[in-house]
């Protein structure tokens, strides 16, 4: 069921013509724009009689500034950047080259280092970066190339026309600005634009709202494995000199997760004694009381980690969901007027914990396809599915396929826990992809068990259930962490978290699952407040101004009644330096 924010009545949206509109200014979207510019420059140099213009190529970015909503660990495999901008290393903001890595298995109080680092986690030659600074730098390259980036503009819905073969995507409507909580125009109201484009490229990041609309409208996941996800919760620390070298990488498995859950941690040494510390928790766990932000706090209390961070200072916080499903969870990548790239499509190597290089390469391949559509214009006004469908073939014959195909069943191997998953990982290394061509999967939220079936005291998971309290030095409660995300939204605007039926929250979920939205949200957006008139004495209350745009609620809600849509453009986290 498609859910949209209620439109304002009798509002006309001015039209803006475009050749290509790229929704999302992360690494995938910026790479797409930059590669398209390169192709146009090359074409114009070779064909002075048939010049192509860049004036009607736009990037729409919902953040106030490019890179502001971008979050990753982050390690950059430079492969795709070397193709996009040869010699980029001399000018890009690269914090350190990886020269040392290790993998540790943590027990409750101890740890041991694996004697060998598994090949997928060998990172020599990769770079520790701030994805925020890196994307800002890419944005500068895009603007220097003559392509316009509109920051503070969110895509609110796709535009369609009826074509000979069914509905085709013909553009994007941007968000209305200056709307109050009652969905009424304020004195500063400005209607959004209908950007009518020949090609729409969706580069919104994980669980993009327009991508979700497109997938549902055309049933694109039919015959695919449902996408599965994790949520990464990250803190940036300043620590005493000499603890961790710049370019040193540490991965951990085990504690605080039990063998039932999937996930792990990273510690990346960066320049100026800063360290990226984070934990990814697979959103396919069983206990609805599990709190991913609490998992990170429990991880930091482990003696091995606490010793590294002692005397340091936490300076930034953020959270982001990421797609784990792999090759069998990719939707069709191109159709009548549209293409999907980056995390929106699911380009992530979960064995390597890396997706930036895949996002960049997918953007480059989409640019090549969009360029072909510009050279061979369609009289209907939108690029045909025959042309944009070639994006699928370009991916399938690229090194993206070479990297992801052998790992096509990687995450599915962990459905019965960590031990079975490690065994399956070995099998897939010996027999690329494992013993079966395709292992099916199901959506992670379906694993959640009713609290009546779980031990009241939490059992082995007790140390990561419910909200973390924090000591204010090493560990932090959710609101303290949230403060360090720099999140700001216009308070007087409609809620951008749409709940289809709050009676389910108040009547059923509170009894059946204990209101897990309070736990899985890493930003304290959802609360169950006392209300004597409610059937169970509690009702759902939202704090949308807290939202860090991770989309975890849209993904992990057991009833699938929460839909995340973009707030007014410009609002959200401020991930400077993250």
């Amino acid at each position: 069921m498609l859910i949209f924010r209620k439109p304002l009545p009798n509002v006309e949206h001015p039209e803006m013509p475009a050749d290509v509109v790229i929704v999302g200014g992360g690494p995938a979207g910026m790479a797409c724009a930059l590669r398209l510019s390169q192709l146009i420059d090359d074409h114009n140099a070779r064909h002075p009689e048939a010049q192509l213009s860049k004036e009607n190529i736009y990037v729409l970015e919902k953040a106030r500034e490019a890179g502001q909503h971008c979050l990753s660990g982050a390690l950059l495999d430079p492969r795709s950047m070397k193709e996009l901008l040869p010699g980029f290393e001399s000018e890009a903001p690269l914090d350190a080259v990886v020269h040392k890595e290790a993998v540790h298995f943590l027990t409750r109080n101890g740890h041991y280092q694996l004697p060998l680092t598994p090949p997928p986690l060998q990172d020599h030659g990769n770079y520790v970066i701030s994805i925020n600074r890196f994307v800002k730098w890419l944005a500068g390259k895009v603007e220097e190339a003559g392509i316009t980036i509109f920051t503070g503009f969110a895509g609110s819905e796709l535009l369609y026309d009826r074509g000979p073969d069914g509905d085709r995507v013909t553009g994007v409507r941007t968000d209305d600005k200056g709307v109050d909580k009652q969905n009424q125009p304020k004195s500063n109201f400005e209607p959004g634009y209908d950007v009518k484009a020949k090609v729409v490229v969706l580069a919104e990041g994980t669980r993009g709202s327009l991508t979700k609309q497109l997938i549902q409208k055309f049933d694109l996941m039919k015959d695919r494995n449902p996408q599965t996800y994790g949520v990464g919760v990250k803190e940036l620390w300043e620590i005493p000199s000499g603890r961790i070298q710049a370019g040193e990488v540490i991965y951990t498995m085990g504690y605080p997760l039990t063998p039932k859950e999937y996930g792990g941690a990273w510690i990346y040494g960066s320049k100026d004694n800063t360290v990226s510390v984070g934990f990814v928790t697979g959103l396919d766990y069983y206990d609805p009381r599990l709190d991913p932000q609490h998992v990170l706090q429990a991880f930091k209390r482990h003696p091995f980690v606490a010793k590294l961070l002692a005397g340091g200072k936490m300076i930034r916080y953020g959270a982001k969901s990421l797609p784990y499903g792999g090759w069998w969870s990719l939707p069709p990548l191109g159709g009548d007027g549209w293409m999907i790239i980056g995390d929106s499509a699911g380009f992530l190597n979960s064995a390597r914990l890396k997706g930036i290089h895949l996002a960049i390469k997918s953007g480059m391949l989409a640019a090549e396809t969009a360029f072909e559509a510009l050279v061979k214009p369609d009289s209907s006004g939108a690029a045909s599915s025959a042309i944009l469908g070639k994006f699928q073939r370009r991916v399938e014959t690229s090194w993206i396929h070479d990297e992801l195909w052998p790992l096509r069943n990687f995450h599915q191997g962990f459905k019965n826990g960590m031990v079975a998953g490690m065994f399956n990982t070995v099998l897939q290394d010996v027999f690329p992809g494992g013993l079966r061509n395709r292992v099916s999967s199901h959506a992670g939220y379906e694993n959640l068990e009713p609290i009546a079936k779980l031990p009241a005291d939490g059992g082995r998971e007790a140390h990561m259930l419910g909200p973390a309290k924090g000591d204010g030095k090493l560990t932090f409660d959710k609101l303290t962490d949230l403060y360090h995300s720099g999140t700001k939204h216009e308070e007087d605007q409609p809620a951008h978290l749409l709940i289809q039926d709050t009676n389910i929250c108040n009547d059923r979920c509170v009894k059946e699952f204990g209101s897990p939205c309070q736990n899985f949200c890493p930003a304290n957006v959802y609360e169950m407040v006392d209300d004597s008139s409610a059937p169970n004495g509690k009702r759902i209350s939202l704090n949308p101004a807290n939202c860090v745009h991770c989309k975890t609620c849209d993904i992990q809600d057991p009833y699938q009644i929460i839909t995340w849509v973009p707030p007014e453009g410009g609002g959200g986290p401020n991930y400077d330096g993250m």
Side-chain angles (χ1 to χ4, degrees):
M1 177 180 179
L2 290 174
I3 301 176
F4 299 92
R5 178 180 285 162
K6 186 178 179 181
L8 290 173
N10 304 317
V11 171
E12 291 192 10
H13 295 85
E15 287 193 7
M16 183 176 178
D19 291 322
V20 179
V21 60
I22 301 164
V23 185
M30 292 301 181
C32 182
L34 189 55
R35 180 61 183 144
L36 184 55
S37 172
Q38 293 171 346
L39 292 167
I40 290 174
D41 286 342
D42 181 65
H43 169 87
N44 290 345
R46 290 184 294 108
H47 300 283
E49 78 289 351
Q51 298 283 288
L52 295 175
S53 173
K54 303 178 189 176
E55 290 185 1
N56 288 338
I57 299 172
Y58 306 120
V59 179
L60 303 182
E61 169 52 47
K62 62 185 174 66
R64 292 183 291 274
E65 297 178 10
Q68 204 166 35
H69 291 175
C70 292
L71 183 72
S72 179
L75 290 185
L76 173 67
D77 177 335
R79 182 175 185 178
S80 50
M81 281 304 302
K82 288 180 178 179
E83 297 177 4
L84 179 63
L85 288 173
F88 82 100
E89 299 94 335
S90 64
E91 55 176 313
L94 308 174
D95 291 350
V97 62
V98 176
H99 61 88
K100 181 181 180 181
E101 69 269 285
V103 180
H104 293 254
F105 187 88
L106 306 187
T107 62
R108 181 173 288 272
N109 294 305
H111 72 98
Y112 62 86
Q113 182 177 338
L114 300 189
L116 296 173
T117 300
L121 301 180
Q122 293 175 4
D123 289 317
H124 275 56
N126 294 333
Y127 293 95
V128 179
I129 65 169
S130 156
I131 190 64
N132 163 266
R133 288 195 293 264
F134 190 79
V135 168
K136 282 184 180 179
W137 172 76
L138 273 178
K141 291 291 185 184
V142 169
E143 291 181 323
E144 287 173 13
I147 290 179
T148 303
I149 301 172
F150 288 108
T151 56
F153 282 82
S156 63
E157 61 181 287
L158 292 170
L159 304 176
Y160 302 92
D161 277 343
R162 193 72 181 171
D165 300 318
D167 288 343
R168 63 172 181 250
V169 173
T170 57
V172 177
R173 175 168 293 170
T174 67
D175 61 311
D176 295 330
K177 300 184 184 301
V179 182
D180 66 18
K181 288 183 178 180
Q182 285 71 45
N183 205 45
Q184 296 299 312
K186 297 186 288 189
S187 59
N188 63 339
F189 173 75
E190 294 181 10
Y193 287 87
D194 282 355
V195 185
K196 304 301 285 286
K198 298 172 184 175
V199 179
V200 174
V201 183
L202 298 178
E204 306 171 282
T206 310
R207 195 77 163 194
S209 56
L210 298 186
T211 307
K212 183 179 176 182
Q213 292 175 24
L214 186 77
I215 287 172
Q216 291 181 347
K217 181 177 180 63
F218 296 125
D219 194 19
L220 297 182
M221 295 305 290
K222 181 181 180 181
D223 300 324
R224 263 75 172 174
N225 283 357
Q227 186 60 267
T228 53
Y229 301 89
V231 59
V233 183
K234 172 181 175 177
E235 292 174 354
L236 196 65
W237 280 69
E238 291 178 348
I239 63 171
S241 179
R243 293 278 176 80
I244 300 175
Q245 302 172 50
E248 182 176 355
V249 168
I250 299 172
Y251 296 108
T252 78
M253 300 184 293
Y255 187 86
L257 299 183
T258 76
K260 286 185 176 181
E261 297 90 30
Y262 177 84
W266 76 83
I267 302 172
Y268 299 155
S270 190
K271 64 180 183 179
D272 302 324
N273 297 314
T274 57
V275 177
S276 168
V277 181
F279 207 105
V280 177
T281 302
L283 294 175
D284 48 10
Y285 53 79
Y286 293 84
D287 195 322
R289 298 166 295 182
L290 189 147
D291 186 318
Q293 189 267 351
H294 195 166
V295 171
L296 175 61
Q297 307 314 308
F299 168 71
K300 291 186 298 174
R301 284 196 296 268
H302 190 279
F304 172 69
V305 184
K307 184 178 179 180
L308 293 174
L309 300 179
K313 178 184 178 183
M314 190 269 288
I315 54 176
R316 303 295 290 172
Y317 169 80
K320 176 189 181 294
S321 57
L322 57 156
Y324 268 154
W327 189 261
W328 294 124
S329 295
L330 296 175
L333 301 174
D336 211 350
W338 57 269
M339 289 183 284
I340 311 174
I341 63 176
D343 279 357
S344 286
F347 289 114
L348 180 125
N349 184 328
S350 57
R352 297 184 66 200
L353 303 177
K354 291 174 184 62
I356 299 170
H357 66 300
L358 297 169
I360 290 170
K361 182 62 175 178
S362 71
M364 294 169 64
L365 296 175
E368 294 172 12
T369 311
F371 173 75
E372 184 176 342
L374 296 182
V375 173
K376 302 175 182 177
D378 187 333
S379 60
S380 68
S384 70
S385 57
I387 293 178
L388 298 190
K390 292 182 181 179
F391 176 43
Q392 184 89 31
R393 183 61 180 161
R394 282 186 164 96
V395 170
E396 291 173 351
T397 55
S398 74
W399 57 256
I400 290 179
H401 175 272
D402 296 342
E403 181 170 332
L404 294 184
W405 179 253
L407 303 166
R408 59 195 179 277
N409 295 316
F410 178 81
H411 190 65
Q412 296 94 301
F414 286 84
K415 65 181 178 181
N416 293 319
M418 180 62 71
V419 175
M422 296 307 294
F423 177 74
N424 277 286
T425 298
V426 173
L427 276 180
Q428 291 180 56
D429 192 44
V430 176
F431 307 98
L435 298 177
R436 295 165 59 188
N437 184 47
R438 175 177 175 178
V439 177
S440 62
S441 66
H442 59 267
Y445 69 87
E446 295 178 1
N447 283 349
L448 289 172
E449 293 187 354
I451 54 175
K453 294 183 178 181
L454 300 167
D457 63 359
R460 296 179 65 184
E461 285 84 15
H463 58 281
M464 53 185 177
L465 303 185
K469 294 180 179 178
D471 59 19
K473 295 180 179 179
L474 176 66
T475 59
F476 308 96
D477 61 33
K478 205 170 283 188
L479 286 176
T480 301
D481 258 343
L482 175 66
Y483 171 79
H484 288 85
S485 72
T487 299
K488 292 182 180 179
H489 291 88
E490 166 60 49
E491 293 278 354
D492 188 16
Q493 65 171 301
H496 65 279
L497 303 149
L498 310 181
I499 301 178
Q500 185 178 338
D501 185 354
T502 56
N503 289 326
I504 292 177
C505 307
N506 302 334
D507 300 350
R508 292 181 55 190
C509 190
V510 66
K511 293 187 298 183
E512 295 173 0
F513 293 101
S515 305
C517 56
Q518 299 178 104
N519 303 317
F520 58 60
C521 172
N524 213 54
V525 169
Y526 299 88
E527 290 184 282
M528 296 301 293
V529 299
D530 294 331
D531 186 342
S532 58
S533 65
N536 297 289
K538 297 278 187 180
R539 64 170 174 82
I540 189 77
S541 177
L542 299 181
N543 304 302
N546 290 359
C547 180
V548 295
H549 301 196
C550 69
K551 326 284 181 64
T552 305
C553 56
D554 194 305
I555 294 164
Q556 191 65 356
D557 166 43
Y559 303 95
Q560 293 294 283
I561 58 171
I562 299 175
T563 297
W564 188 97
V565 298
E568 184 173 304
N574 181 2
Y575 287 148
D576 279 351
M578 288 283 269

